[in-house]
């Protein structure tokens, strides 16, 4: 493989992480708002009450702003695979490209086609036909997420492919195994439901803003209550599916789960504590302090009381023989590329499952080529490679905890808000309304932390166990990467600024058609109690 400057790899990673984080500011809201719009419109069609049509149209307008800008930020990411990750695209392109192509042909076109009908079809379609269109938009946006997460799951838990020594790439083997990869299914539901949490908080927070200002009170009260109930269900689902993902990581990605838990040594069930807070030190491979809850970690991760969780030191020790075997695999593969002899192919096949560990050792080999390692230096290279199997523990550990702590905050806030709203006592709880308003960006932040946990925890691999990240990038120059990185930062910052400007502008204006309070948008803020009882009929 061609030598790749480590600085180019780091810049490529930083650029992709940055564009993905930007893009993920829009995705959760799109996923969640579509189903909230469908729920509001369903109530309108069933009851015939105009206010639910007003709700669907107003929140639909904010959805449209987010959708348009979100699509623009996502398109560039797919090109990055070809421009900045050419080695990865060659090695895993069949597996990754298939779900992305289906996403474009099926989900994206479906979503984009029906979203126009949803916005402009209110006066041209029957109630039932427009409701069907809204559900198709929701289905399309969530199918789009499904195919992207199927592609991502293949990188985390490669299934449905095999390595071909003739083409030097992972070849497509089973579409069924690709689609029904357990990691894909769990990750799709977890991510989609996290989007529903974001949408619920978005609607609840803006509704709280109107209630605090005494504007659009009946409209806001209904939106607030529906969002709070939607949020409770979604938060419970996202926590439950997060538990499923943790169990899958325990089985398929032990280095990730050990890093998430800050577990340097194998656990001692059942008393091992779940660490609430710690200061992991990657260089010294220890935690400087720990605050934990005893008896929680084992059942939380293994769903038993007696199964241990392998620690990072023990995982490093276990990797030693695999690195040595991987060096044999890569060396045999190189020879087979020249000789095409059955003996070299047989030796490669014998060590094939460890090939990725041999590629990982290339970082410490002369000219990144393990065939250049002198026999008496192999032990040194193996020892130097062992710590490389671990992700950045500090980042993985804390990004996971921020996500979890925020999820617990959301559950508490949604539960209290739903209770107060159902009791029709919102007018006495302005602090709660302010908390709801200030919490609008937090679910998106939690989603970003979840993405960081999943992707930082997968390191040092782009394709787990098969292809190291440092061998996956394109062989660009540093100046090219710096130039393109600056361009992306400027472009995406403009997108974010446009999103915030439009969102603030239209959220402040409020619903254009408020059937229950037709002149509310021009009314001065009212300090009196909300007329909640009148909304119950």
């Amino acid at each position: 493989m061609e030598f790749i400057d480590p600085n180019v790899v780091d810049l490529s990673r930083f650029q992709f992480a940055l564009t993905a984080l930007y893009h993920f500011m829009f995705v959760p809201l799109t996923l969640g708002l579509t189903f909230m719009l469908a729920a509001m419109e369903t109530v309108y069609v069933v009851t015939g009450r105009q206010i639910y049509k007003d709700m669907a149209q107003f929140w639909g307008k904010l959805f449209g702003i987010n959708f348009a800008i979100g699509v623009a930020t996502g398109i560039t990411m797919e090109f990055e695979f070809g421009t900045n990750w050419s080695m990865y695209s060659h090695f895993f392109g069949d597996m990754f490209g298939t779900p992305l192509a289906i996403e474009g042909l099926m989900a994206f076109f479906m979503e984009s086609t029906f979203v126009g009908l949803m916005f402009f079809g209110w006066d041209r379609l029957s109630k039932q036909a427009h409701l069907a269109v809204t559900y198709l938009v929701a289905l399309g946006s969530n199918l789009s997420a499904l195919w992207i997460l199927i592609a991502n799951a293949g990188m985390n838990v490669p299934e449905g492919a095999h390595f071909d020594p003739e083409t030097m790439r992972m070849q497509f083997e089973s579409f069924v195994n690709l689609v029904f990869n357990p990691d894909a299914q769990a990750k799709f539901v977890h991510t989609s439901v996290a989007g529903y949490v974001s949408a619920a908080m978005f609607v609840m927070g803006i509704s709280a803003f109107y209630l605090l200002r005494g504007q659009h009170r009946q409209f806001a009260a209904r939106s607030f209550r529906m969002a709070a109930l939607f949020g409770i269900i979604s938060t419970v689902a996202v926590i439950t599916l997060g538990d499923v993902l943790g169990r899958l990581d325990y089985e398929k990605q032990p280095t990730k789960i050990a890093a998430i838990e800050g577990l340097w040594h194998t656990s001692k069930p059942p008393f091992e504590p779940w660490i609430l807070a710690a200061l992991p030190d990657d260089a010294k491979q220890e935690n400087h302090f720990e605050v934990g809850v005893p008896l929680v970690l084992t059942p939380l991760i293994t769903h038993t009381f007696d199964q241990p969780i392998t620690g990072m030191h023990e995982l490093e020790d276990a990797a030693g023989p695999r690195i040595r075997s991987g060096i044999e695999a890569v060396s045999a593969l190189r020879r087979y590329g020249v000789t095409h002899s059955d003996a070299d192919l047989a030796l490669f096949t014998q060590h094939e499952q460890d090939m990725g560990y041999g590629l990982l050792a290339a970082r410490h080999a002369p000219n990144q080529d393990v065939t250049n390692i002198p026999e008496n230096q192999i032990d040194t290279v193996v020892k130097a490679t062992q710590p490389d199997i671990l992700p950045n523990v500090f980042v993985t550990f804390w990004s996971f905890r921020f996500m979890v702590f925020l999820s617990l905050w959301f559950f508490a806030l949604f539960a209290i808000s739903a209770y107060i709203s159902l009791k029709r006592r919102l007018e006495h709880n302005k602090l709660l309304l302010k908390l709801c308003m200030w919490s609008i960006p937090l679910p998106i932040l939690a989603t970003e932390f979840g993405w960081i946990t999943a992707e930082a925890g997968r390191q040092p691999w782009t394709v787990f166990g098969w292809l190291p990240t440092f061998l996956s990038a394109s062989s660009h120059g540093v100046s090219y990467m710096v130039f393109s990185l600056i361009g992306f930062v400027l472009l995406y910052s403009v997108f974010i600024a446009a999103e915030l400007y439009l969102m603030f502008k239209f959220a402040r204006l409020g619903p254009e058609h408020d059937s229950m309070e037709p002149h509310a948008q021009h009314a001065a803020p009212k300090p009196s109690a909300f007329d909640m009882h009148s909304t119950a009929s």
Side-chain angles (χ1 to χ4, degrees):
M1 291 185 176
E2 190 175 356
F3 180 83
I4 302 171
D5 186 341
N7 293 321
V8 172
V9 177
D10 290 341
L11 285 168
S12 299
R13 291 184 62 193
F14 184 62
Q15 182 171 308
F16 191 83
L18 204 62
T19 50
L21 288 170
Y22 268 121
H23 180 57
F24 235 63
M25 292 181 186
F26 304 95
V27 174
L29 202 53
T30 296
L31 294 177
L33 271 179
T34 53
F35 272 112
M36 287 205 71
L37 295 178
M40 291 170 183
E41 192 173 340
T42 299
V43 178
Y44 163 63
V45 172
V46 171
T47 65
R49 303 190 66 180
Q50 179 66 27
I51 191 170
Y52 290 102
K53 181 180 179 181
D54 298 339
M55 289 164 62
Q57 289 182 325
F58 172 70
W59 298 114
K61 182 189 297 180
L62 299 187
F63 159 79
I65 295 168
N66 189 71
F67 174 81
I69 299 177
V71 167
T73 62
I75 291 173
T76 53
M77 290 179 62
E78 299 199 15
F79 290 104
E80 276 188 64
F81 291 115
T83 57
N84 294 355
W85 298 98
S86 59
M87 293 301 295
Y88 161 79
S89 297
H90 167 79
F91 187 85
F92 206 61
D94 284 6
M95 295 299 294
F96 196 78
T98 301
L100 284 189
I102 297 174
E103 187 265 339
L105 291 172
M106 188 177 86
F108 182 69
F109 285 156
M110 175 181 173
E111 181 185 16
S112 301
T113 300
F114 287 106
V115 79
L117 282 174
M118 188 179 80
F119 286 125
F120 302 109
W122 282 105
D123 299 324
R124 295 174 174 82
L125 299 173
S126 66
K127 288 182 182 179
Q128 293 75 14
H130 192 277
L131 178 61
V133 165
T134 304
Y135 271 103
L136 286 171
V137 171
L139 181 64
S141 63
N142 282 263
L143 279 177
S144 178
L146 171 65
W147 289 110
I148 289 171
L149 290 169
I150 286 173
N152 178 269
M155 299 167 66
N156 281 277
V157 184
E159 292 193 2
H162 71 278
F163 180 76
D164 186 341
E166 302 293 340
T167 61
M168 299 286 287
R169 57 193 295 183
M170 300 292 282
Q171 299 283 29
F172 202 91
E173 190 174 58
S174 169
F175 184 74
V176 173
N177 288 348
L178 172 71
V179 173
F180 292 99
N181 184 333
D183 189 71
Q185 303 306 315
K187 196 168 284 179
F188 164 63
V189 183
H190 181 67
T191 305
S192 298
V193 177
Y196 305 165
V197 174
S198 299
M201 192 66 78
F202 179 78
V203 172
M204 197 168 77
I206 293 178
S207 300
F209 169 74
Y210 295 141
L211 292 172
L212 282 166
R213 298 188 66 178
Q215 293 179 320
H216 314 294
R217 291 172 297 166
Q218 297 184 32
F219 174 94
R222 279 183 169 82
S223 296
F224 187 99
R225 191 177 309 150
M226 182 174 280
L229 295 172
F230 193 77
I232 291 176
I233 299 168
S234 301
T235 308
V236 171
V238 83
I239 292 172
T240 304
L241 269 297
D243 176 69
V244 174
L245 276 174
R247 174 70 187 181
L248 283 171
D249 288 340
Y250 168 68
E251 294 173 348
K252 304 291 186 181
Q253 294 181 292
T255 49
K256 180 188 287 186
I257 201 69
I260 283 174
E261 301 304 341
L263 199 64
W264 293 102
H265 293 283
T266 298
S267 67
K268 298 174 182 176
F271 301 103
E272 192 74 30
W274 183 68
I275 303 174
L276 283 171
L279 187 59
D281 187 329
D282 286 86
K284 294 183 178 178
Q285 296 200 331
E286 62 182 23
N287 297 334
H288 287 304
F289 78 91
E290 293 179 0
V291 178
V293 183
L295 295 167
V296 172
L297 183 65
T298 304
L300 182 68
I301 301 300
T302 70
H303 297 181
T304 71
F305 288 97
D306 56 4
Q307 290 184 17
I309 304 163
T310 309
M312 286 177 276
H313 286 300
E314 289 75 15
L315 289 168
E316 279 185 14
D317 293 340
R322 297 200 67 179
I323 296 167
R324 189 179 296 276
S325 171
I327 293 173
E328 290 280 356
V330 175
S331 299
L333 186 62
R334 287 289 180 87
R335 289 195 300 273
Y336 177 72
V338 177
T339 65
H340 293 282
S341 74
D342 292 340
D344 287 331
L345 181 60
L347 183 60
F348 167 73
T349 304
Q350 181 183 344
H351 297 279
E352 179 181 353
Q353 294 302 313
D354 298 320
M355 183 188 75
Y357 289 83
L359 294 174
L360 194 63
R363 174 182 285 172
H364 303 283
N367 298 320
Q368 293 187 351
D369 185 350
V370 296
T371 61
N372 293 332
I373 304 173
E375 189 66 29
N376 62 354
Q377 292 295 313
I378 288 182
D379 286 345
T380 303
V381 170
V382 169
K383 192 172 182 180
T385 307
Q386 284 176 292
D388 292 350
I389 69 163
L390 300 178
N392 185 308
V393 179
F394 182 88
V395 170
T396 310
F397 178 89
W398 276 110
S399 57
F400 176 77
R401 269 147 192 78
F402 282 132
M403 177 187 68
V404 170
F405 295 153
L406 285 170
S407 298
L408 296 176
W409 164 249
F410 302 149
F411 177 76
L413 190 60
F414 282 128
I416 294 170
S417 297
Y419 176 79
I420 298 295
S421 178
L422 290 171
K423 288 288 185 181
R424 307 183 192 284
R425 295 172 55 192
L426 283 174
E427 69 273 26
H428 302 299
N429 292 276
K430 293 192 175 182
L431 176 60
L432 176 68
L433 295 176
K434 290 178 181 177
L435 289 175
C436 293
M437 190 175 66
W438 294 334
S439 296
I440 289 176
L442 296 184
I444 295 173
L445 198 59
T447 309
E448 302 276 18
F449 282 126
W451 181 83
I452 292 171
T453 302
E455 298 307 304
R458 175 163 49 86
Q459 298 305 313
W461 310 99
T462 46
V463 182
F464 194 84
W466 286 94
L467 183 65
T469 303
F470 80 95
L471 290 177
S472 303
S474 303
S475 52
H476 293 308
V478 172
S479 56
Y480 169 85
M481 290 305 306
V482 171
F483 178 78
S484 60
L485 178 61
I486 292 172
F488 273 116
V489 169
L490 292 176
L491 178 65
Y492 278 55
S493 296
V494 169
F495 287 143
I496 293 290
E499 163 96 354
L500 291 175
Y501 170 76
L502 292 172
M503 282 292 189
F504 274 104
K505 176 181 178 180
F506 286 99
R508 284 180 181 277
L509 287 175
E512 186 177 355
H513 305 289
D514 187 345
S515 58
M516 302 294 286
E517 200 168 352
H519 303 296
Q521 61 269 38
H522 304 298
K526 298 177 181 179
S528 59
F530 312 134
D531 185 15
M532 305 293 289
H533 291 282
S534 64
T535 69
S537 58

